[in-house]
Amino acid sequence: MLKQNKPELLAPAGDLEKLKIAVLYGADAVYIGGEAYGLRAKAKNFDLDTMAEGIRFAHDHGAKVYITANIFAHNEDFQGMAEYFKAVEKIGADALIISDLGVFSVAKAAVPKMEIHVSTQANNTNYMSAKMWYQLGAKRIVTARELSFEEVKQIRDNIPKDMDIESFVHGAMCISYSGRCLLSNYLSGRDANKGACSHPCRWKYHLVEETRPGEYMPIEENERGTYIYNSKDLCMIQHIPDILESGIMSLKIEGRMKTPFYVGTVVKAYRQAIDDYLADPALYQERLPYYLEEVSKASHRDYTDGFYYQKPDGNQQIYNSNTYIRGFDFIGMVQEDSDPSTGIAVVEQRNKFSVGDEIEVMPAKGDAYTMMVTKMWDEKGNPVESAPHPQQVLRILFEKPVKKFDMLRKIVLDAK
């Protein structure tokens, strides 16, 4: 294996709750967006106060926080940018993620000591561009998703040793080249390159002939139409050895728009897989079915290994649906540690469940376990049989001690 430091597990955090979950469930670093300059405008994102709180929480738990500023900037976007970068440096952000040369130049002038990571949006496909970014002052490149492991290795062998390589290993795949898409802007007037993508790649499309209005002809042989741009989701948890051998030092999970349950589930599975492999490769191989089962409990599309082993063909696309595979419901999150004397803990409901249901408890550390819900009470202490109301606060009897931010999930019996 290529000699390198312990790899970094980098997780998405669309808001403060997700940041805390990502860190507690095993992320070494998180990437977040502020209220400007990032590519997830529809995420809740962070103002400077919540950003500061998140950074303190992450640092207290030994994790780093990277701030996205990866829009393709227009002239008007530069107003106030330097002051924004100075503000995020002051509250302790560890790095900026940037794709635009103009934004890069502003950051280097405003916060010269701050790390800059070059976003995948910059189409980092070769070692010559990586070396150029390094000469300009970048610490890290995020590789384009269109690269094979062999190409990543070639980049690693031809760039300075103190330059890092970060690559996506899990999550939704954009149909456009490294996410540089114009479909959304053209079809809905929302600019994907400024954070407002409407995801037209997931829409259902039919073909209409000019002289036959109203006659919708599917592009593929399917009576429901076709999702001609709809990619499968990336999943590389079964390829940790090849990832590390290639020289990738930061394993990036996509999903700032995802739920807390998704973040916790996927981050924890990758944390366990990486740690098991570093401790004992044989243990990692033995537990591969477990890791795959765990990541599959979060809502996802069919999985693919993207470009890492071969150029994708039609098998990496989904032609008949844009829906997710959802085998488990996220039903609750523990709000306070359980009482050691009674085993009762406060839980906030996220989906309906009832006394008598078999559920899984997913702690931040250690394997999940199943238990039966035998007793629960409302906020006033009255016994209740079910929890039908969104964000209902309950007290539940647990079989084992639980901690704040542990999550509860329940199998979806009619899952497809």
Side-chain angles (χ1 to χ4, degrees):
M1 180 191 295
L2 182 73
K3 298 290 185 182
Q4 65 171 48
N5 296 325
K6 182 179 178 180
E8 173 187 88
L9 180 58
L10 176 58
D15 59 32
L16 186 59
E17 181 184 55
K18 294 172 194 175
L19 180 151
K20 292 179 178 180
I21 288 169
V23 169
L24 292 174
Y25 279 72
D28 299 300
V30 296
Y31 60 101
I32 69 175
E35 294 180 317
Y37 310 122
L39 283 182
R40 287 295 179 268
K42 290 182 70 178
K44 292 181 181 178
N45 291 321
F46 292 73
D47 60 25
L48 285 175
D49 288 338
T50 54
M51 191 181 288
E53 182 181 348
I55 290 169
R56 285 194 299 270
F57 182 90
H59 288 177
D60 287 346
H61 290 81
K64 294 181 178 181
V65 179
Y66 308 145
I67 311 299
T68 60
N70 54 344
I71 62 166
F72 293 114
H74 290 247
N75 294 328
E76 64 270 15
D77 293 317
F78 290 98
Q79 185 174 355
M81 185 180 289
E83 290 72 23
Y84 173 73
F85 290 156
K86 291 175 182 178
V88 299
E89 181 187 47
K90 186 176 181 180
I91 59 177
D94 296 284
L96 295 169
I97 304 172
I98 291 173
S99 58
D100 180 85
L101 270 170
V103 177
F104 191 101
S105 68
V106 172
K108 288 304 296 180
V111 287
K113 295 181 181 179
M114 198 167 188
E115 273 193 21
I116 298 180
H117 301 170
V118 182
S119 170
T120 190
Q121 299 290 126
N123 298 133
N124 297 297
T125 58
N126 61 80
Y127 61 80
M128 291 300 292
S129 65
K131 289 198 291 187
M132 189 68 234
W133 282 115
Y134 181 82
Q135 292 167 14
L136 292 172
K139 167 63 176 170
R140 175 184 300 189
I141 59 161
V142 187
T143 58
R145 300 189 203 191
E146 293 75 23
L147 297 187
S148 66
F149 278 133
E150 186 58 37
E151 290 174 298
V152 175
K153 288 178 186 177
Q154 291 170 0
I155 293 174
R156 178 67 275 167
D157 291 342
N158 287 279
I159 62 174
K161 291 182 179 180
D162 61 341
M163 188 178 203
D164 298 334
I165 294 178
E166 174 186 309
S167 299
F168 282 94
V169 298
H170 195 94
M173 294 278 283
C174 182
I175 195 67
S176 296
Y177 207 94
S178 287
R180 300 181 77 162
C181 182
L182 296 175
L183 278 175
S184 178
N185 211 339
Y186 181 78
L187 294 174
S188 65
R190 287 168 47 181
D191 192 346
N193 298 311
K194 298 189 78 174
C197 185
S198 59
H199 298 100
C201 56
R202 308 297 183 185
W203 298 354
K204 181 188 289 187
Y205 290 90
H206 293 78
L207 185 65
V208 179
E209 200 276 327
E210 182 179 10
T211 64
R212 296 177 175 87
E215 292 186 28
Y216 299 103
M217 294 169 281
I219 299 170
E220 293 291 322
E221 299 250 348
N222 185 304
E223 71 278 4
R224 292 172 294 181
T226 181
Y227 299 81
I228 56 177
Y229 305 115
N230 194 18
S231 173
K232 294 180 179 179
D233 284 358
L234 182 65
C235 178
M236 295 296 290
I237 201 165
Q238 70 273 42
H239 301 297
I240 297 298
D242 288 346
I243 292 171
L244 302 188
E245 175 109 13
S246 72
I248 295 167
M249 66 76 56
S250 181
L251 286 64
K252 188 171 192 174
I253 296 167
E254 183 276 338
R256 279 193 288 142
M257 299 290 289
K258 300 289 190 179
T259 66
F261 177 64
Y262 177 94
V263 172
T265 300
V266 175
V267 166
K268 181 180 176 181
Y270 275 86
R271 175 80 280 149
Q272 290 178 307
I274 293 167
D275 290 350
D276 288 349
Y277 177 73
L278 294 176
D280 181 1
L283 174 63
Y284 166 80
Q285 290 295 331
E286 179 185 328
R287 281 167 58 87
L288 272 178
Y290 164 77
Y291 311 137
L292 286 167
E293 180 183 8
E294 284 301 298
V295 294
S296 296
K297 288 178 179 179
S299 178
H300 65 285
R301 300 179 183 90
D302 289 334
Y303 285 136
T304 175
D305 52 25
F307 290 76
Y308 282 114
Y309 293 101
Q310 68 282 311
K311 298 287 186 184
D313 55 24
N315 292 320
Q316 277 68 49
Q317 299 299 108
I318 304 172
Y319 294 105
N320 59 6
S321 173
N322 71 344
T323 59
Y324 287 86
I325 301 167
R326 186 170 59 87
F328 279 75
D329 270 339
F330 173 31
I331 60 170
M333 184 181 295
V334 176
Q335 299 297 298
E336 299 174 11
D337 294 0
S338 54
D339 186 318
S341 61
T342 65
I344 295 171
V346 176
V347 170
E348 183 182 82
Q349 184 260 34
R350 298 297 174 96
N351 275 292
K352 182 182 177 181
F353 63 97
S354 304
V355 170
D357 284 348
E358 184 175 79
I359 66 171
E360 282 194 9
V361 180
M362 185 176 71
K365 292 181 171 58
D367 291 350
Y369 62 90
T370 60
M371 60 166 268
M372 186 78 72
V373 180
T374 58
K375 294 180 181 179
M376 59 183 179
W377 301 264
D378 64 18
E379 287 185 274
K380 297 180 179 178
N382 301 311
V384 292
E385 291 297 312
S386 66
H389 306 300
Q391 296 186 300
Q392 184 175 357
V393 177
L394 304 153
R395 292 165 58 81
I396 297 177
L397 177 63
F398 286 90
E399 295 177 0
K400 300 178 182 180
V402 293
K403 292 185 174 294
K404 185 177 181 179
F405 291 116
D406 285 357
M407 288 188 265
L408 312 180
R409 60 194 183 193
K410 184 177 74 169
I411 194 167
V412 178
L413 296 177
D414 60 348
K416 297 179 181 179

